[in-house]
Amino acid sequence: MDAATATFQKYRPRLLGLAYRMLGTQADAEDVLHDAWLRWHQQDTQALDEAEAWLVTVTTRLALDRLRRAKTERQHYTGPWLPEPLVQETEQPEAELERVESLNLSFLALLERLSPDERAAFLLVQVFDYSHAETAHMLQISEDACRQRVHRARQRLREGRPRFTHAPEVQRRLLEKFRDALETASVESLQALFAEDAVHLADGGGKARATLRPLHGAERVVRLYSIIAQRYRDYAIVHRLQWLNGAPALLTWLGAKLVTVAWIETDGERITSIHSLRNPEKLARLEAVTNPQAGTSLS
C-alpha cells in the first residue's frame, strides 16, 4: 500500500462516519467516499500540510452537494423518510458517548429538520469536535456565520428532541415486550406498552405497505399493530432483536426476507414513539448480511 492510500485508509472510518451522518444512508456515504478518494488520488498529497483537514473538507463539500439534491428528491418521497441503518459501525466501540449517540437512528431522523448547511456545521462542531474557525474554513464561510448555523441547528434539534431519553437497556426491555405481544397477538399487552400520546412513523417509500402519515395516539397505534399481528399470525414470521446504530432494534423476517426494522423512544415505562422502516431498498443491504438465525443478536 502506497503512502497516499495508507493515509486515506487511516481516515476512512472518520470520513464515512461524517458522510453517513450527513446523508442518512450508507450507500450515499460510500459514493461520497469514492468521489473523495478519486480527488485524493489526483491531488499532490506531499504538498498538503494537513491531510485530515483536506479530506474532511472535501468529504463535507461532496456530502453537502449530494444532500442538497437529496433534499429536493425527498420532497417527492412517498410517505415519511427514515434513515437507513448501518450494516456495520463506522467507529470503534470505545468511541465517545456523544459520537455513538449521534449514530442513533432517531437522532439521524431528527437531523432531517436541519438545512444542509446547518447539518454540516453542527456535525463538524458538535460531533467531530472541530472548532468554529476550522469549520468555517471547511465550509468557506465566516466564523460568525458558522456560529449562527450551529446555534440555529441546536435550537431546531432541541425543539424536536424526545421529552425523555433512556438507556438502551430500557429500550431493549420494551422491545422484548413488544416482540412478545406481536407473537401472541395480544391486544392487552400492546395496550399496556404504548403511552397515550404515542406516535407511529413508517417508511415504505411507496414500495411496501406502510402508513403514509404519522399515527398519533395509543389507540390508533395499538389498532394498527393488532391488525398486523393477527394478519401474520400463521406466517413464518421471526422477530429478532439486534443492535443497530448504537441502540436495540427489532428486525422482522418473513421467511428469508427482512420486511421491517423498528426502533423506539420511551419515557422509561412505555413506548412514546415507534419508527418502522419497510422500504425494501433500504433493508436490502442489512438483509444481505444478517438472517433470522445469525447476526449481532441481543437475545
Side-chain angles (χ1 to χ4, degrees), residues 134-154:
E134 291 169 322
T135 300
H137 180 72
M138 292 176 186
L139 299 178
Q140 296 181 305
I141 58 177
S142 70
E143 189 171 341
D144 283 345
C146 179
R147 291 183 183 276
Q148 289 172 3
R149 288 181 185 178
V150 174
H151 177 70
R152 286 198 303 269
R154 286 199 196 108

Side-chain angles (χ1 to χ4, degrees), residues 96-109:
E96 296 174 9
L97 178 61
E98 182 179 16
R99 298 185 66 185
V100 172
E101 288 179 343
S102 70
L103 279 174
N104 184 279
L105 291 165
S106 292
F107 181 76
L108 291 175

Side-chain angles (χ1 to χ4, degrees), residues 18 35 61 119 142 156 177 252:
L18 172 60
D35 291 343
R61 292 176 184 175
R119 189 164 178 164
S142 70
R156 290 175 186 268
K177 291 183 178 180
T252 300

